[in-house]
Amino acid sequence: MAIMPRMFTPRLIACDVDGTLLPEGQPYLAPETLALIEHLLDAGIAFVPASGRQHPNLEHVFAPFLDRIPLVAENGTMAFLGDEQVFRAEMNRELGHEIIHTILQRDPCEALVSGARTSYIQPKCPDFLTLIRKDIRYTCTIVDDLMNIPEPYSKLTAYHPSVADDAPFWLERFGSRCNVAVSGLIWIDFMPTGISKASGVAAVCERLGIAPTECLAIGDNDNDVEMFDFAGHAIAMETGSEKARAHAQETTPSANEVFRKVLESL
């Protein structure tokens, strides 16, 4: 793969979270990562977490920087500058109902519906509630019927303990009607057609007056591909998916190594 020129200095870094900034299962950013992000911000480089996670969870993870960074949440279906929501996509509700019904009927899948400030769940198994509330620490609302949540659907998610085994079913069933993306080891996300992390990052770039060619994207999975294609330069994790690595210009063992190289180029 091509190597990033030493003097390549982006104005904006869009960075995936799970599997990139955070090893799978790690809830907090390492002190070194926090320090590097602070140095990037002090150098005038915009830093944008772009994640499949919900907005309140990202606020928790990036609490030290909330007054300094935009947040792209829910795989690009929402983007925030401080308290201002600068972008939100909405899923067709009829299609959403069909996806939810299919998830609930398919064991051992569980459904999660993304609202603006909470995730709605209708757990079939108590372990799923534990996963959402205690393990990944989401703000969630338990409902009796996911078909009747009180706000638009931005993103729908299917939980499956082995996504690699189940992804082909979902791609075949819904891939022609919405964007279906593997998002980590146990999640499959459904977004409106044409919506991805790139959508949220593009909205942030427009507000900040930054061109795509001035952006660096870092990620590890299939749901980062559109963001890679949007940015002027893309770097995939060495442990990333085959598809992610194919759309990147180079690979890295860690996001911190990329941050150090950018800072050294200043």
Side-chain angles (χ1 to χ4, degrees):
M1 288 187 173
I3 301 299
M4 181 174 68
R6 188 177 186 280
M7 294 305 295
F8 177 82
T9 305
R11 291 184 61 199
L12 181 148
I13 297 175
C15 190
D16 171 55
V17 177
D18 295 285
T20 302
L21 277 179
L22 288 175
E24 293 288 347
Q26 180 177 311
Y28 301 111
L29 295 172
E32 181 187 14
T33 304
L34 290 168
L36 287 167
I37 293 172
E38 185 169 13
H39 290 323
L40 290 167
L41 294 171
D42 290 344
I45 297 172
F47 183 80
V48 184
S51 175
R53 293 187 181 215
Q54 64 172 198
H55 181 223
N57 185 267
L58 289 178
E59 288 181 318
H60 176 72
V61 173
F62 294 94
F65 310 113
L66 282 186
D67 60 341
R68 304 182 70 185
I69 64 172
L71 295 172
V72 172
E74 305 287 8
N75 262 340
T77 60
M78 300 182 195
F80 298 83
L81 284 171
D83 293 331
E84 181 187 2
Q85 186 177 78
V86 297
F87 179 78
R88 182 175 184 179
E90 295 182 7
M91 176 76 80
N92 173 274
R93 205 166 183 90
E94 183 177 348
L95 175 58
H97 284 177
E98 184 180 347
I99 294 171
I100 291 168
H101 177 76
T102 306
I103 295 172
L104 294 177
Q105 292 297 310
R106 187 173 176 83
D107 290 330
C109 290
E110 296 272 7
L112 183 147
V113 179
S114 299
R117 297 291 307 177
T118 190
S119 296
Y120 298 91
I121 59 174
Q122 183 183 333
K124 294 189 286 182
C125 173
D127 289 346
F128 183 63
L129 179 59
T130 301
L131 172 69
I132 297 299
R133 280 189 170 166
K134 294 185 177 180
D135 295 344
I136 65 173
R137 305 183 185 194
Y138 265 25
T139 300
C140 69
T141 301
I142 300 174
V143 297
D144 294 327
D145 185 0
L146 282 174
M147 306 291 188
N148 292 312
I149 68 169
E151 61 175 306
Y153 303 152
S154 287
K155 185 193 76 175
L156 307 176
T157 300
Y159 160 83
H160 190 282
S162 180
V163 160
D165 295 334
D166 214 41
F169 168 83
W170 298 104
L171 286 164
E172 181 178 353
R173 183 73 176 267
F174 295 107
S176 64
R177 291 184 283 165
C178 64
N179 186 5
V180 180
V182 173
S183 181
L185 300 177
I186 58 175
W187 307 107
I188 301 173
D189 286 341
F190 306 85
M191 291 83 67
T193 298
I195 299 299
S196 66
K197 287 185 183 181
S199 308
V201 174
V204 169
C205 285
E206 183 176 354
R207 289 295 298 271
L208 298 180
I210 295 175
T213 53
E214 299 175 298
C215 298
L216 169 64
I218 312 170
D220 76 314
N221 220 320
D222 293 6
N223 63 334
D224 296 312
V225 164
E226 293 90 348
M227 182 172 72
F228 283 5
D229 294 344
F230 170 82
H233 196 85
I235 302 177
M237 302 297 290
E238 289 178 351
T239 56
S241 70
E242 181 178 351
K243 187 174 181 180
R245 287 183 282 113
H247 282 255
Q249 283 73 56
E250 61 175 303
T251 60
T252 183
S254 73
N256 284 356
E257 179 172 304
V258 177
F259 299 157
R260 285 191 290 268
K261 287 182 178 179
V262 170
L263 290 166
E264 289 168 2
S265 75
L266 299 176

